[in-house]
Amino acid sequence: LGIAACNRGDGGAPTVALVLKTLNNPFFVEMEQGAREAADSLGIELVVQAPEREIDVEKQMQIVENLLQRRVDALLITPSGSREIVPAVVKANEAAIPVVVVDTRVDAPALEEAGARISSFIGSDNVDGGRMAGRFVAERLGGQGRVAVLEGIPGHETGDSRLTGFREVLAEHPGLEIVSSQTANWERDQAFNVTQNVLQSHPDLDAIFAANDVMALGAVEAVAAAGRTGEIVIVGFDAQDDARIAIREERMDATIAQNPREMGRLAVISADRLLRGETVPAEQPVRIELVTGQQTGAVEAPAREE
Amino acid sequence: MIPSASEPHPRPPEPIVLRMFGIRKAFPGVVALDGVDLEVRAGEVHVLLGENGAGKSTLMKVLSGAHAMDAGRIELAGSEVAISGPRHARDLGIGIIYQELALVPDLSAAENVFLGREPRRGPGLVDRGAMVAASRRILQTLGASFDPGLPVRVLSIAQRQLVEVARALSLEARILVMDEPTSALTERETGALFATIRRLTSQGVAVIYISHRLDEIFEIGDRVTVLRDGRRVATREVDGADRRELVRLMADREIDERVPRPAARRGDELLRVEGLGRHGVLHDVSFRVHAGEIVGFAGLLGSGRTEVARAIFGIDPHDAGRVFMRGRPARISSPRDAIRAGIGLLTEDRKRQGLVLELSIRENIVLPVLGSMSRFGIVSRRMERERASKHAAGLRIKTPSLEQVVLNLSGGNQQKVVLAKWLACEVDVLILDEPTRGIDVGSKQEVYQLIHRLASEGVGIVLISSELPEIVGLADRILVMRAGRVVAELSGDEASQESVLAHAVGA
Amino acid sequence: MALPRTKLLHGREVGTLAGLLALCAALWVATPHFATVSNLVNVVEQSAIIGIVAVGMTFVILTGGIDLSVGSIVALSGVALGTAHEAGLPIAAAAAVGLTVGLACGLGNGALITLGRLPPFIATLGMMSVARGIALMLSDGRPISGYPASFRALATGHVLGIPFPVILMLAIYAVAHFLLTRTLLGRYTYAIGGNEEASALSGINVRAYKAAAYAIAGLLSAVTSMLLVARLNSAQPIAGIMYELDAIAAVVIGGTSLLGGSGTVIGTLIGALIMGVLRNGLNLLGVSSYLQQVAIGSVIIVAVLVDMMLRRRARRAAE
Amino acid sequence: MALPRTKLLHGREVGTLAGLLALCAALWVATPHFATVSNLVNVVEQSAIIGIVAVGMTFVILTGGIDLSVGSIVALSGVALGTAHEAGLPIAAAAAVGLTVGLACGLGNGALITLGRLPPFIATLGMMSVARGIALMLSDGRPISGYPASFRALATGHVLGIPFPVILMLAIYAVAHFLLTRTLLGRYTYAIGGNEEASALSGINVRAYKAAAYAIAGLLSAVTSMLLVARLNSAQPIAGIMYELDAIAAVVIGGTSLLGGSGTVIGTLIGALIMGVLRNGLNLLGVSSYLQQVAIGSVIIVAVLVDMMLRRRARRAAE
Ligand SMILES: Nc1ncnc2c1ncn2[C@@H]1O[C@H](COP(=O)(O)OP(=O)(O)OP(=O)(O)O)[C@@H](O)[C@H]1O
Ligand SMILES: Nc1ncnc2c1ncn2[C@@H]1O[C@H](COP(=O)(O)OP(=O)(O)OP(=O)(O)O)[C@@H](O)[C@H]1O
Ligand SMILES: [Mg+2]
Ligand SMILES: [Mg+2]
């Protein structure tokens, strides 16, 4: 694979666009930073754009359309919707602009059906991360206990995949029961309230899994407010700085690190290579890691068969 | 348009087109109608007379389907009907002009005239041309010359009233109710309206006419029904009815209707206006008002009297001229400045400009002076109550309590609240724009007395009024306006209704 | 003040149009990529989504109401279409289902507001939440993808080089303009917004015409959702979030009063284009997404400020 | 209709209160976890956030306006506090910075609306976008965490077993009630909302008092943000999203008219509690997230429907 098209004709530094799901989430802020560092060292002009809301596929598509009008040389994108973004990829293909997909996979059948091509996928698997969190909880509780789940915005793919993996593992342990699964809409204060409320109906709760760290940190504060820090296992996702600190302070137990910085870096490097006419691998997995107080277990994200 | 001359009385009794029996309607705390009967013949002008709050408007709203009655019966042309709503009433041939103008400000005059009954060119399609043409025709019969394509928002209150009248006329109703149609009109428009009414009655239309201007009743009415406190007290032929008796029936007491005119005691100059101008609206308006003096402003519709008041009070900017208070230049760029300088303005449109309808009578009365009744921003309820009841008492506002929301008062009583508000304000110069609009004979006398009392206490009064007897009777000096200019200044002695009118029309 | 009505409205739109042109001129100078034919077509096409929703919103706001549920109706009618299609209905029938659902939601709003006498804000806030919840339940929170090319042509097709969404949008604006200026429906929409009591006293069936405005808003939300589904090849239960704010902004920037009774659909079109051009320009300029929010907010404020000033000046000049 | 004003308002609140009690009774039957002391304290505490924002919103709505920017102001003033604290300011000074920023945003809204004569919807929509953008820029999109325990006691402290946020909220309601019923500010707020023109013609400084309402809303948003930061030990640039809708819903459920001029802050408190109890109950019952949205929407609609019906009946009974 790999596209040999080189659009560097017009003299100046090549322009590479990185379109994120949003920049309101530290995960993508870190990805942007990784990308910027790589771009600076490679002499690439990086344009970073994102819709205001993480789930706004339509806005993301508009951003892509607008950037294509600007004739960027390569497009790096974290799709807000794995199928919905395909038409945007088609448009990029038509403009002969190489596309590198980061973090969230584009649906392969949809891609094929539309006859669209991407140059590479860089990322890790949210379902796997969810499994990892599930295994951690199962291990810590000894296969026995009551678990509450904090969901993201309903219908949001990232959260759904994480939960799928998590539930899959828990289903393998008959002693583990999910007693409550509620949304906190990715928000910290909502997570605080929901956790408080869940603790009212399930005072005997053993563990909480939140689909991201923002919500996990809300849960941490609610558990602390109930005076039960340390009694309830709290696992988040994303390994944000705040979450790492909370883990270090033993107010939280674990989080899953997806290494967005590395994704951003790899994405820009791939773009650079593509623009030089080199090839890049179709799959560039990024390691996901379990971050806990004691150990940092690293796991290689398995490359999925396409 | 040739109005048919009023037919000689007595004429043969026409068939009865409307009978209302034992109509009862209560609002929380108020029984507005308590078993009222009314009988109206085809081709007659049946006048409803009564003090403010007597129930006239309520009776008509029952007839027009705007209010559901609590008890009673209505017969049209001999058969009983249950009127289910405004549309039904209209379909039954009942047309009405409401006392409180009910127009849509952003639609044109023509659109308002035909609202709900637009001429059509096809299913759902409005025929705009026909609508404008027809409303222009009707408005012209009323002596109105403005463009029916203008949005109502930019019309003066009098012009709006003409739009209402035009709307009622366009209904081609068998029974036409007019609830104070002339309260904002001057003699000229009133004359045109009467001519139209005579034409309609000669065609057999029954007109129910409500007004507080007793002269009009004798001019246009055939029979009169007097209401008092929600009951019918009498029905009389107008011919041969005695004016004083009607007033006594209404008020249940003797009222001296003459406009009293004490000798002017002119004090120091309070307000001086020099060369006031506003492009296209006002030109070189100058006058003085002294303490204890009543200066009248007369003129036709749209002659610019209201504009003078608005400019002085800082509502509209003026681009020429100066205003002095007690000889010193007053810098007035907002009503706040004006009130501080000692000027008050009672506006002609009470609903839009005078009252906060959701607030109580008390709260409305003290609104401009609330600041002086507060310490550290905290309002003294005691002072508030005292001040409000002091100024409301003199005006006999018909209400269970001063805590009543103004929205629920009858039109005339609302007007009294606005008056009370400016009395409570205790300013040096009070501009009154149509202060007796919509208030009954008895209350009018009270207002006149009030104006005199204020003048005798040294307040300078500017009185804008379209009722010539009122202005001629009250004012020490009368300024007549035409097309934004002061065209004459008449002293109280040389002024007569005829001379004022002559200057106003430019004859 | 004394301008005839048609002129006054005309004057209003001119102010907004001036704003749009000023924005375009600024972008034309700032970036060579803006004033190309392909980009301008692109901008108009992108504006179609909010543009069509804003037409319905104009009707609602003209009656003095507001509709917060349009975004959720977009989602629900899309999901209804998707579910029906997945269940095996031919795409035309599925689209009819989607449109019916949108219309039904609008009528539901109308019923709550007219029969239940709820404030529009509350009724449509409730509908916003309910419709979104049902969309999520119906779809299990997942997008429903895969539609025939014939349907997708709604979004991807061209006629004489003009993208189909643009044609659809312009057609809808033309019809709406006709309805508002020439028909009873339009007259009564303005009348009700201007003075509901007077309208009722004039015998207008206020309830029916008010409900009609919400029904139109619901139906046009469904039309928008068809476009969205065709464009993304996917019906999403989380589509349309915050569309209500964008649509209201377009309407108000276009000079329609939130108090009801005055405004035009032409103004709304210009308002929608201003929002579209702004977003496009900020993308072209590569403005950071944080700064974009600041810029969008500022431009909305400045656009309406300038518009108000122009109008006041025009009014003064007319005196 | 002719009830004295105080009575009428009283009647209104009774309707809303009945709604709240009915909801509580239903939950009491449905789950044993609801009617415990700890849960009830918990509910009131959770309601404090929206409850305080809703007080400011009540002032704004009473003047006939609306404030869409409260959520963004919550975020911006929190981030301002966080940034100031990170920069080394003592926490009290940092909190002062946060409060000042909130007040300034409110005054900004007020200036745009009174001096710029913008419709409140547009001015605050713009501010919503601008303040959010600045919050994101200031914080680089990241939460700013770590505050001293003395500050965090704002959210975690208790007095006589009552959580401090509850006390703070009740104190704010008491002050607001006093302001609205006993002071010039309150009277003018109602007067302006009831009839702005008549108020101006009565010599009221309409601009100043209108601006004051937005300033109060801004300041109370900042107060709320202090509570949030203390509670979560983190200042978040994306805090407060959609607070405006919850706050407006609380105000309207509480019986305040969106047209301005009538309503009470006591009603708003009950409205905020209804929203809080509802969310809490749905969590306790373990209702699925999708169904929760349907339930919240339905309860908002039903609560206001019932309230309107009770009021109409009370009015009729009084005749
Ligand atoms: N909607 C209402 N709610 C409560 N009370 C009302 C309402 N409408 C009228 N009233 C009361 O009913 C009584 C009769 O009022 P109505 O308007 O019929 O008087 P009116 O004879 O037309 O007086 P005016 O000459 O002042 O217009 C008054 O006491 C008034 O306060
Ligand atoms: N509030 C207003 N805003 C704008 N224009 C107005 C307003 N009121 C009146 N006008 C216009 O100004 C002109 C002068 O009207 P104005 O009301 O001053 O006359 P007037 O002598 O007071 O007569 P009347 O009050 O009986 O109509 C009218 O043509 C009217 O259209
Ligand atoms: Mg009356
Ligand atoms: Mg006048």
Side-chain angles (χ1 to χ4, degrees), chain A residues 235-257:
Chain A
V235 181
F237 213 110
D238 287 346
Q240 285 184 13
D241 293 347
D242 275 4
R244 289 179 194 268
I245 293 168
I247 292 172
R248 203 179 310 133
E249 292 172 352
E250 298 188 347
R251 293 183 293 131
M252 185 168 150
D253 298 88
T255 184
I256 311 296

Side-chain angles (χ1 to χ4, degrees), chain B residues 216-477:
Chain B
E216 294 180 1
I217 291 160
F218 287 95
E219 191 181 340
I220 191 79
D222 295 310
R223 289 198 300 159
V224 50
T225 292
V226 181
L227 296 185
R228 188 168 72 225
D229 290 337
R231 295 205 178 82
R232 187 184 69 147
V233 292
T235 299
R236 298 267 195 281
E237 293 288 331
V238 168
D239 258 5
D242 173 38
R243 183 175 177 127
R244 285 184 54 196
E245 189 205 353
L246 287 181
V247 172
R248 204 187 54 242
L249 284 170
M250 255 169 82
D252 202 17
R253 65 197 151 97
E254 282 296 337
I255 286 171
D256 182 0
E257 254 203 280
R258 280 170 305 162
V259 180
R261 177 104 165 276
R265 273 165 294 134
R266 195 160 135 164
D268 297 338
E269 176 191 291
L270 291 177
L271 172 70
R272 184 165 90 237
V273 175
E274 279 182 4
L276 195 66
R278 179 160 180 236
H279 183 73
V281 181
L282 294 175
H283 311 278
D284 194 24
V285 174
S286 305
F287 64 94
R288 294 158 194 244
V289 180
H290 298 82
E293 194 182 27
I294 301 172
V295 176
F297 270 78
L300 297 180
L301 276 191
S303 56
R305 298 162 299 168
T306 297
E307 300 296 317
V308 171
R310 287 174 66 90
I312 295 173
F313 200 57
I315 304 170
D316 298 329
H318 50 271
D319 39 40
R322 288 193 295 173
V323 174
F324 299 85
M325 275 299 281
R326 296 184 187 281
R328 251 169 293 155
R331 239 181 295 283
I332 297 174
S333 57
S334 73
R336 216 161 109 75
D337 297 339
I339 293 170
R340 282 223 192 102
I343 303 174
L345 168 64
L346 184 146
T347 50
E348 58 182 347
D349 187 342
R350 60 176 166 256
K351 239 187 180 169
R352 229 180 44 180
Q353 302 172 327
L355 295 166
V356 183
L357 294 173
E358 288 99 345
L359 291 187
S360 68
I361 299 173
R362 164 179 56 88
E363 288 166 317
N364 269 287
I365 291 179
V366 299
L367 202 52
V369 288
L370 203 60
S372 68
M373 298 180 182
S374 64
R375 238 191 312 161
F376 312 118
I378 299 168
V379 178
S380 158
R381 288 216 174 159
R382 189 182 47 76
M383 289 168 72
E384 237 190 285
R385 241 176 273 123
E386 281 172 11
R387 179 85 72 109
S389 50
K390 177 177 152 204
H391 292 282
L395 290 168
R396 305 192 334 122
I397 296 171
K398 189 174 180 224
T399 172
S401 114
L402 288 184
E403 298 307 312
Q404 172 73 282
V405 185
V406 168
L407 180 66
N408 294 341
L409 296 181
S410 78
N413 282 306
Q414 290 184 351
Q415 183 71 17
K416 292 183 191 174
V417 175
V418 190
L419 258 168
K421 172 166 113 175
W422 289 110
L423 295 181
C425 199
E426 295 171 357
V427 287
D428 298 335
V429 173
L430 186 53
I431 307 173
L432 303 169
D433 194 356
E434 311 284 3
T436 59
R437 183 171 163 237
I439 69 180
D440 63 48
V441 211
S443 304
K444 253 183 210 168
Q445 291 305 315
E446 286 157 19
V447 171
Y448 296 157
Q449 252 128 42
L450 234 141
I451 292 175
H452 281 303
R453 205 187 72 213
L454 286 175
S456 67
E457 284 167 4
V459 177
I461 308 269
V462 175
L463 175 67
I464 302 174
S465 173
S466 297
E467 283 193 62
L468 286 179
E470 175 171 303
I471 211 158
V472 171
L474 279 172
D476 300 313
R477 267 185 305 135

